[in-house]
Amino acid sequence: MADHERDLASVREATERLLTAAAKLNNDSVAEPSRLPGWTRGHVLAHIARNADALVNALEGRPMYVSGEARDAGIERDAPRPLDVQLSDVRDSAARFQEAGAAPADWSRTLELRNGVTDIASRLPFRRWAEVELHHVDLGIGYELEDLPAEFTEREITFLADRFSGHPEVPHTVITDGTRTWSTGSEATGPEVTVTGPAPELLGWLSGRRAGAELDVPGGVLPTLPPL
């Protein structure tokens, strides 16, 4: 079982890093494009806040969002807000998530997330950690995949490799940074693909944030991954 208390502490630290960095923005830069297609930095900040509240809902046994449409509408509604309001919302929603995470609970219970996905409650703090870290990178304000904590990068690669495991559109693939090895894709019934590179580059490819140009695929072609 995941160490949810340790992950909650990591979420708190990651949130403080994000808030400190984002505080250097201004209202004009919040309205500028982020690294996510079609989203401004305001969209990213709004999503980070709304995701915290959605995960509180999940922890407390409610649907994360009323609907997909309501989720998207909330982000669009909140995206144009000025920087001070955005930062307050991220901070306050993060505090609500920490409060929900500190409440006595059965952390071995299964929770329903979005789109029929289920997970063990103890894994939700890591999911939140991923939201904060990767969207900090998406803001495009100087925090890069190479700046992510090494523990997070390794665990997120494992999480994403597991997510694509068994996917019929992804060939059986071995992923390695030269020290650690992961396996993903369909069953090993056809030719095996080996993808090698630094852990941040592997994470960028798996998460759809980099094209994988710096990765080595001896004798093969880098697999195209389906959208997350």
Side-chain angles (χ1 to χ4, degrees):
M1 184 183 297
D3 185 344
H4 69 276
E5 292 184 349
R6 188 164 179 267
D7 285 347
L8 283 167
S10 296
V11 172
R12 188 181 302 110
E13 293 167 2
T15 303
E16 286 304 315
R17 281 195 297 272
L18 184 150
L19 286 168
T20 298
K24 299 174 184 177
L25 299 172
N26 55 45
N27 291 336
D28 289 339
S29 55
V30 168
E32 292 173 351
S34 73
R35 290 176 172 173
L36 294 179
W39 272 16
T40 65
R41 293 190 178 107
H43 283 88
V44 175
L45 292 170
H47 169 63
I48 291 169
R50 299 288 68 77
N51 172 262
D53 287 336
L55 290 177
V56 170
N57 287 338
L59 285 171
E60 296 180 349
R62 298 184 296 274
M64 285 183 65
Y65 300 96
V66 174
S67 65
E69 293 77 12
R71 169 190 176 274
D72 295 344
I75 294 170
E76 290 294 335
R77 177 197 65 217
D78 295 341
R81 299 174 301 177
L83 177 63
D84 61 337
V85 178
Q86 296 278 16
L87 297 183
S88 293
D89 192 16
V90 171
R91 184 178 295 105
D92 292 347
S93 60
R96 291 191 291 270
F97 177 75
Q98 290 289 333
E99 182 179 2
D106 174 12
W107 286 93
S108 67
R109 70 195 189 281
T110 298
L111 300 178
E112 184 172 349
L113 306 180
R114 291 184 62 213
N115 303 322
V117 174
T118 60
D119 206 349
I120 304 301
S122 61
R123 286 167 57 92
L124 256 65
F126 179 75
R127 284 179 174 268
R128 175 59 182 174
W129 189 11
E131 290 285 331
V132 175
E133 293 284 18
L134 293 178
H135 287 315
H136 189 169
V137 173
D138 294 335
L139 286 172
I141 55 177
Y143 191 67
E144 303 296 342
L145 294 172
E146 288 76 10
D147 299 316
L148 295 170
E151 178 196 354
F152 170 77
T153 297
E154 179 176 357
R155 289 177 62 186
E156 183 67 359
I157 290 173
T158 301
F159 177 84
L160 292 172
D162 288 346
R163 185 164 180 170
F164 292 120
S165 182
H167 199 293
E169 297 177 12
V170 181
H172 181 63
T173 304
V174 173
I175 303 167
T176 179
D177 64 357
T179 302
R180 297 156 295 189
T181 300
W182 301 265
S183 179
T184 194
S186 57
E187 297 297 326
T189 56
E192 181 179 278
V193 177
T194 299
V195 178
T196 303
E201 291 289 342
L202 294 171
L203 177 55
W205 168 60
L206 287 167
S207 66
R209 285 167 170 82
R210 290 186 183 172
E214 302 301 318
L215 299 175
D216 186 29
V217 189
V221 177
L222 186 69
T224 299
L225 300 177
L228 289 172

